[in-house]
């Protein structure tokens, strides 16, 4: 299916939360950015929609009625590599570790700023797009800015400065900020 802006990336997001106001807020903001959004108020519905609709990204609350959010993450992760962002009031380190260990890619504590979640979706979309582009081209992504440095057994030397002719050099790219 066509992607946002005609390129690769996220176009369909599955949002799973039992709080209607959170479903509404995320759906409104994601749709405003031309994303298709499926909504699930329960873990059971989330697993069904994930299997039927094959979302490009999943946002899931941990505290769901019925099947818990951790089980939803583990269930989806059992057959898919789709990026998963967890939203939860659970803020302990152990809860975050459990969610990430279950297969989540990111964790946001409630209450949250909707714009922050949208930015996290966009960041994951960028990584998906870059990975798909590299896979299609069968080449590793190249640095966008910076200069080449050669690493010698004694340290590094700028490639422009030259190095001992007999030494084996390994190019390292130092990438600067993107414009």
């Amino acid at each position: 299916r066509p992607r946002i802006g005609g390129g690769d990336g996220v176009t369909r997001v599955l949002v799973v939360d039992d709080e209607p106001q959170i479903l509404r807020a995320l759906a409104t903001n994601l749709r405003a950015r031309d994303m298709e959004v499926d909504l699930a108020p329960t873990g059971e519905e989330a697993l069904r929609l994930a299997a039927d609709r094959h979302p490009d990204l999943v946002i899931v609350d941990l505290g769901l009625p019925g099947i818990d959010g951790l089980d939803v993450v583990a269930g989806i992760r059992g057959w898919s590599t789709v990026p998963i962002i967890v939203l939860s009031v659970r803020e302990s380190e152990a809860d975050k570790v459990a969610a990430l260990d279950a297969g989540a890619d990111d964790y946001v504590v409630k209450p949250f700023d909707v714009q922050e979640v949208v930015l996290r979706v966009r960041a994951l979309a960028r990584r998906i797009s870059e990975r798909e582009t590299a896979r299609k081209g069968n080449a590793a992504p190249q640095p966008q800015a910076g200069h080449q440095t050669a690493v010698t057994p004694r340290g590094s030397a700028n490639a422009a400065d030259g190095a001992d002719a007999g030494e084996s050099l390994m190019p390292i790219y130092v990438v600067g900020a993107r414009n």
Side-chain angles (χ1 to χ4, degrees):
R1 65 183 170 249
R3 303 292 189 187
I4 296 168
D8 294 325
V10 172
T11 190
R12 178 176 299 282
V13 178
L14 171 59
V15 181
V16 187
D17 202 299
D18 61 330
E19 297 179 50
Q21 64 275 24
I22 290 178
L23 289 175
R24 258 192 319 275
L26 288 171
T28 299
N29 279 276
L30 294 169
R31 287 177 180 141
R33 286 156 182 84
D34 297 322
M35 295 183 199
E36 298 171 28
V37 180
D38 294 314
L39 304 174
T42 66
E44 292 85 357
E45 181 70 6
L47 292 173
R48 188 189 66 73
L49 281 172
D52 291 348
R53 305 290 296 214
H54 301 283
D56 298 304
L57 188 136
V58 177
I59 300 172
V60 62
D61 180 23
L62 291 183
L64 298 170
I67 297 176
D68 184 72
L70 277 179
D71 293 328
V72 171
V73 171
I76 292 172
R77 194 52 77 225
W79 58 271
S80 175
T81 60
V82 64
I84 300 172
I85 299 173
V86 167
L87 300 179
S88 182
V89 295
R90 302 177 192 171
E91 55 184 301
S92 77
E93 193 72 22
D95 288 322
K96 292 175 186 177
V97 168
L100 295 169
D101 277 347
D105 296 286
D106 200 353
Y107 194 104
V108 178
V109 176
K110 292 180 181 179
F112 59 89
D113 181 334
V114 173
Q115 295 307 313
E116 178 186 352
V117 173
V118 170
L119 288 172
R120 289 172 186 252
V121 167
R122 287 175 50 197
L124 282 170
R126 258 192 321 274
R127 286 198 289 282
I128 293 166
S129 179
E130 289 167 359
R131 192 174 4 181
E132 287 177 2
T133 300
R135 190 177 313 127
K136 286 178 186 172
N138 235 0
Q142 294 299 309
Q144 299 297 313
H147 66 277
Q148 187 173 357
T149 299
V151 176
T152 68
R154 289 190 302 267
S156 65
N158 188 321
D161 296 338
D164 293 343
E167 293 185 28
S168 173
L169 302 178
M170 180 175 71
I172 302 292
Y173 292 92
V174 180
V175 180
R178 292 184 182 195
N179 295 332

